[in-house]
Amino acid sequence: MAMNITQKIIKKHLVSENMTAGEKIAIKMDQTLTQDATGTMAYLQFEALGVPRVKTKLSVSYVDHNTLQTDFMNMDDHRFLQSIAAKYGLYFSRPGNGICHQVHLERFGAPGQTLLGSDSHTPTCGGVGMIAIGAGGLDVALAMGGDPFYFSMPKVVLVKLTGKLQPWVSAKDIILELLRRLTVKGGVGKVIEYGGLGVKTLSVPERATITNMGAELGATTSIFPSDEVTKAFLKAQKREKSWTRLEADPNAAYDEVVELDLSKIEPMVAKPHSPDNVVPLKELEGTPVQQVAIGSCTNSSYRDMMTVAAALKGKTVHPDVSLVIAPGSKQVLEMITKNGGLASMIAAGARVLESACGPCIGMGQAPSTKSISLRTFNRNFEGRSGTKDAQVYLVSPEVAAAAALKGVITDPRKLGKKSPNIKMPNTFIVDDNMVISPLPPKKAATVEIVRGPNIKPLPEFKPLPNVLQGKIIIKVGDNITTDHIMPAGAKILPLRSNIPAMAEHVFSPIDPAFPKRAKEMGGGFVIGGANYGQGSSREHAALAPMYLGVKAVVTKSFARIHLANLINFGILPLTFANEGDYNNVEQGDDLELDVTGLDGKSLILKNKTKGVDLEVKHPLVGRDIDIIKAGGSLGYVKTRG
Ligand code: MIC
Ligand code: SF4
């Protein structure tokens, strides 16, 4: 049977039986990655599994999120993670080495292999032809322990690229155009596979910008073929041996086809406060800008940095703009230092930050009150920048550079007829001195884990009772993100390994009284709209509500990773059988749910306050039901023995 690339890789790694779209499948994961903000919890869970050494081909622990060290907490976590990596046979990418996705693409990504990462932008490595999926830390811990990864077999969408981008238009504009067309829900349950003659016009970093931001479409992952361009990239990284050709069979079938003529794409902008709120730049030309931030796992490659450096060369940043730049990796930073690109940025007045997530996750550089910040990042959810009333717009590096120079949103084509057109280097500077290799098993066994006072034990997981009872603690609307449920930023992120402290911030951007109310009510229910839990992979958005006693979340629909995280932590996910019933529940209503019939598809939720019975459904299949009954995955794995 003719197969597309997605089917080929999944088939090779399949440990379950069939591959029908929508059915639960299980695949073997070759590689895993974690970052520090999700890693601490992932490794506490890995320790609880009692496995002596990771069972993957390769597992890497990165430190890139919590690098603003305002007290002992973050560096305590870094030392914990380093000792864990040494003990359990992982590579450890030291702070300063760069953003996990950028470094993984450069140094570890391999066509045809599978990668599971405890970060939603793990699909970045789809840029070199991997099936790379973001998941909660517990799923990654299980994969490191040798378990397969369970998920729904996605539909496969072909995005057929034709033509070639115009000067000053880049990969970011392609993915913004797709977000405009498909929205943040458009990719749910799907893999976005790229094909067509336009593919070969895009370099690997450009492909990675596109696969990275496929996460914003809600897609399971995104993938490009592995071709001569991939080969040249891997060769330049001195990793030619990792290359294999990967392409769809000529008559491969797809569930949907989207056609995109690259030559017709123009500079695009995502307006506040959602990555799909996209308009052509021309609609916003002339809007004054107070901050420009360039970097993040979407746009911090050598290609992006050199494009910005070329645009800034010999000029000065506009007096009304603060320009910050964070190159994505030590490799990128070293290369632009040696070739003078960094000097052009500094001379123009850019404020250069370390190679890390930085402002993308609110780790510093919060914009001023009500200001407009143009960012090359992937998310512009309200408040994520650290300033609640800031207006964050998502743009390409070209558009960012033009605004930094002009002080207003400007079409970068006005910077000159000829775009910088950066050539990919024949060889990158390859020096993995900031990656610590795994220790041999005997030596590893003697390593002591370093545990600072902020690293608290895992909360307890209780099996599901027969009847769930309680009040609705909160009712929220559509497209609620995990940044609403469990915000990040410089103040809260350091608490990731301390659930009791973290729980004090659940839902704080929407309703700061939530934790207090949840405790007073002795836990209860959460009601949500469509696409509940979109955005990051942080399992804390399930774990901390569980700690506060949330028993079930009833919504119109869920985002993929958050749904898996709820199941992993024993919170029952439910959807209204009739969406209109969303209007039959209110905050404070008293609910009762008999869950003895969980093996069937629907249950009756009694609204005792309103005296109505509502039919609710659950998306659980097979082992999901046993996991929920056991109070979560850890309990389930233990009973499984
Ligand atoms: C994000 O971009 O929101 C993060 C921070 O990278 C998260 C992970 C986390 O919350 O630690 C993600 O995208 O998964
Ligand atoms: Fe880091 Fe931002 Fe990428 Fe998340 S989206 S991994 S915070 S750079």
Side-chain angles (χ1 to χ4, degrees):
M1 197 187 85
M3 281 194 284
N4 55 48
I5 302 172
T6 308
Q7 290 165 335
K8 285 186 188 185
I9 303 180
I10 291 182
K11 179 143 192 252
K12 245 190 155 164
H13 292 82
L14 198 67
V15 287
S16 56
E17 280 177 7
N18 74 55
M19 269 176 53
T20 316
E23 298 276 308
K24 264 270 149 94
I25 60 164
I27 61 170
K28 167 117 196 74
M29 284 295 171
D30 297 318
Q31 303 188 355
T32 63
L33 72 78
T34 56
Q35 40 88 342
D36 50 326
T38 53
T40 44
M41 195 46 67
Y43 295 111
L44 286 171
Q45 292 165 151
F46 180 76
E47 281 187 300
L49 296 178
V51 176
R53 196 174 171 89
V54 292
K55 293 186 178 164
T56 46
K57 283 190 187 153
L58 173 124
S59 287
V60 191
S61 170
Y62 291 91
V63 176
D64 54 4
H65 281 64
N66 281 329
T67 56
L68 199 65
Q69 293 155 221
T70 54
D71 62 17
F72 64 94
M73 288 193 249
N74 288 343
M75 192 167 165
D76 274 9
D77 282 356
H78 303 171
R79 295 192 61 211
F80 167 73
L81 292 168
Q82 185 165 346
S83 64
I84 286 274
K87 188 160 191 76
Y88 294 109
L90 290 98
Y91 286 88
F92 181 70
S93 171
R94 296 166 62 186
N97 196 44
I99 305 175
C100 55
H101 309 302
Q102 175 65 27
V103 177
H104 211 85
L105 185 80
E106 293 167 356
R107 307 302 310 139
F108 298 108
Q113 293 204 13
T114 51
L115 165 69
L116 193 70
S118 62
D119 193 281
S120 64
H121 291 102
T122 304
T124 311
C125 276
V128 288
M130 288 188 101
I131 287 286
I133 302 180
L138 182 48
D139 281 326
V140 178
L142 291 167
M144 289 189 288
D147 272 22
F149 174 63
Y150 293 83
F151 65 119
S152 300
M153 177 68 197
K155 290 186 173 164
V156 186
V157 180
L158 172 67
V159 176
K160 199 167 169 198
L161 305 175
T162 52
K164 192 174 180 310
L165 290 171
Q166 302 169 44
W168 296 103
V169 180
S170 67
K172 182 63 154 281
D173 301 306
I174 302 177
I175 188 67
L176 288 177
E177 169 61 15
L178 279 174
L179 275 153
R180 188 185 71 79
R181 292 196 199 176
L182 305 177
T183 82
V184 290
K185 291 184 283 203
V188 176
K190 299 171 187 170
V191 171
I192 315 290
E193 186 172 308
Y194 291 83
L197 289 174
V199 165
K200 66 172 188 300
T201 68
L202 299 171
S203 65
V204 165
E206 289 172 293
R207 297 175 185 186
T209 293
I210 295 169
T211 54
N212 170 286
M213 233 180 140
E216 277 52 63
L217 291 167
T220 304
T221 190
S222 302
I223 189 165
F224 270 84
S226 169
D227 56 8
E228 298 304 318
V229 176
T230 323
K231 188 177 184 180
F233 174 81
L234 290 172
K235 188 166 176 226
Q237 291 286 355
K238 303 202 173 117
R239 298 202 295 119
E240 203 183 348
K241 280 206 190 106
S242 303
W243 183 76
T244 45
R245 184 178 298 283
L246 204 65
E247 54 195 5
D249 292 333
N251 294 322
Y254 291 90
D255 296 287
E256 278 168 56
V257 180
V258 176
E259 310 249 356
L260 213 55
D261 180 350
L262 298 180
S263 66
K264 299 237 166 73
I265 294 180
E266 50 180 302
M268 307 297 281
V269 179
K271 297 196 294 181
H273 295 288
S274 179
D276 62 357
N277 195 8
V278 174
V279 295
L281 176 141
K282 59 176 182 266
E283 286 184 20
L284 299 167
E285 258 199 293
T287 311
V289 171
Q290 289 78 43
Q291 186 191 52
V292 173
I294 300 175
S296 92
C297 54
T298 316
N299 277 123
S300 60
S301 65
Y302 172 82
R303 182 246 163 237
D304 292 335
M305 291 297 134
M306 286 310 294
T307 303
V308 171
L312 295 181
K313 194 170 180 185
K315 304 194 175 128
T316 301
V317 172
H318 190 277
D320 295 342
V321 176
S322 167
L323 169 66
V324 293
I325 303 181
S329 68
K330 181 190 116 180
Q331 180 183 75
V332 172
L333 185 52
E334 206 176 338
M335 290 192 60
I336 65 170
T337 307
K338 291 213 166 122
N339 72 8
L342 184 65
S344 302
M345 292 173 172
I346 293 172
R351 302 166 63 186
V352 179
L353 307 175
E354 70 172 317
S355 293
C357 300
C360 177
I361 195 57
M363 275 281 158
Q365 306 298 331
S368 57
T369 308
K370 293 194 176 142
S371 61
I372 291 192
S373 177
L374 246 59
R375 301 178 160 213
T376 65
F377 308 166
N378 47 40
R379 291 187 173 139
N380 58 347
F381 305 141
E382 195 173 3
R384 182 174 159 107
S385 66
T387 304
K388 188 144 190 348
D389 57 12
Q391 305 290 309
V392 176
Y393 291 68
L394 306 176
V395 296
S396 69
E398 289 82 349
V399 173
L405 292 172
K406 303 291 180 195
V408 293
I409 296 183
T410 304
D411 190 325
R413 291 173 288 194
K414 294 195 175 140
L415 293 182
K417 242 192 161 156
K418 247 185 103 221
S419 65
N421 196 13
I422 302 303
K423 289 250 162 331
M424 288 299 285
N426 290 330
T427 40
F428 288 93
I429 297 175
V430 174
D431 181 356
D432 292 325
N433 62 340
M434 290 292 279
V435 177
I436 302 175
S437 294
L439 285 177
K442 253 199 175 155
K443 213 160 168 210
T446 66
V447 171
E448 288 284 326
I449 303 298
V450 183
R451 249 177 262 271
N454 190 40
I455 298 184
K456 298 278 186 266
L458 288 176
E460 265 182 55
F461 302 91
K462 293 191 202 91
L464 188 75
N466 287 340
V467 179
L468 296 181
Q469 255 174 335
K471 289 202 162 77
I472 297 177
I473 320 171
I474 193 170
K475 179 178 173 185
V476 293
D478 289 348
N479 290 322
I480 287 296
T481 72
T482 52
D483 277 301
H484 293 112
I485 306 168
M486 192 69 267
K491 293 197 193 92
I492 306 178
L493 262 188
L495 305 173
R496 284 287 176 95
S497 42
N498 182 348
I499 299 303
M502 183 127 232
E504 293 304 317
H505 303 277
V506 173
F507 279 119
S508 58
I510 304 178
D511 180 356
F514 178 89
K516 189 163 170 269
R517 202 164 59 242
K519 284 190 212 155
E520 281 166 5
M521 290 176 167
F525 293 76
V526 169
I527 306 292
N531 201 24
Y532 179 84
Q534 67 158 331
S536 102
S537 68
R538 65 190 69 143
E539 58 193 352
H540 302 75
L543 188 47
M546 182 219 75
Y547 178 81
L548 292 174
V550 172
K551 298 167 183 160
V553 179
V554 193
T555 68
K556 292 182 188 165
S557 65
F558 290 95
R560 175 185 65 87
I561 308 180
H562 188 60
L563 173 64
N565 285 336
L566 289 172
I567 299 171
N568 276 345
F569 293 104
I571 297 181
L572 184 60
L574 298 167
T575 51
F576 294 104
N578 308 306
E579 275 200 8
D581 279 342
Y582 173 82
N583 301 321
N584 283 329
V585 285
E586 270 169 63
Q587 187 176 312
D589 284 359
D590 221 338
L591 305 184
E592 187 180 292
L593 181 77
D594 183 337
V595 290
T596 46
L598 204 57
D599 293 307
K601 269 287 163 206
S602 64
L603 298 168
I604 296 300
L605 179 65
K606 286 187 184 309
N607 186 339
K608 295 200 286 191
T609 308
K610 299 225 159 44
V612 286
D613 285 357
L614 314 171
E615 189 189 345
V616 288
K617 294 194 178 286
H618 68 75
L620 312 172
V621 271
R623 79 196 254 292
D624 292 342
I625 295 179
D626 299 328
I627 291 175
I628 282 284
K629 285 185 181 162
S633 277
L634 273 184
Y636 168 74
V637 170
K638 290 205 170 129
T639 52
R640 190 186 64 174

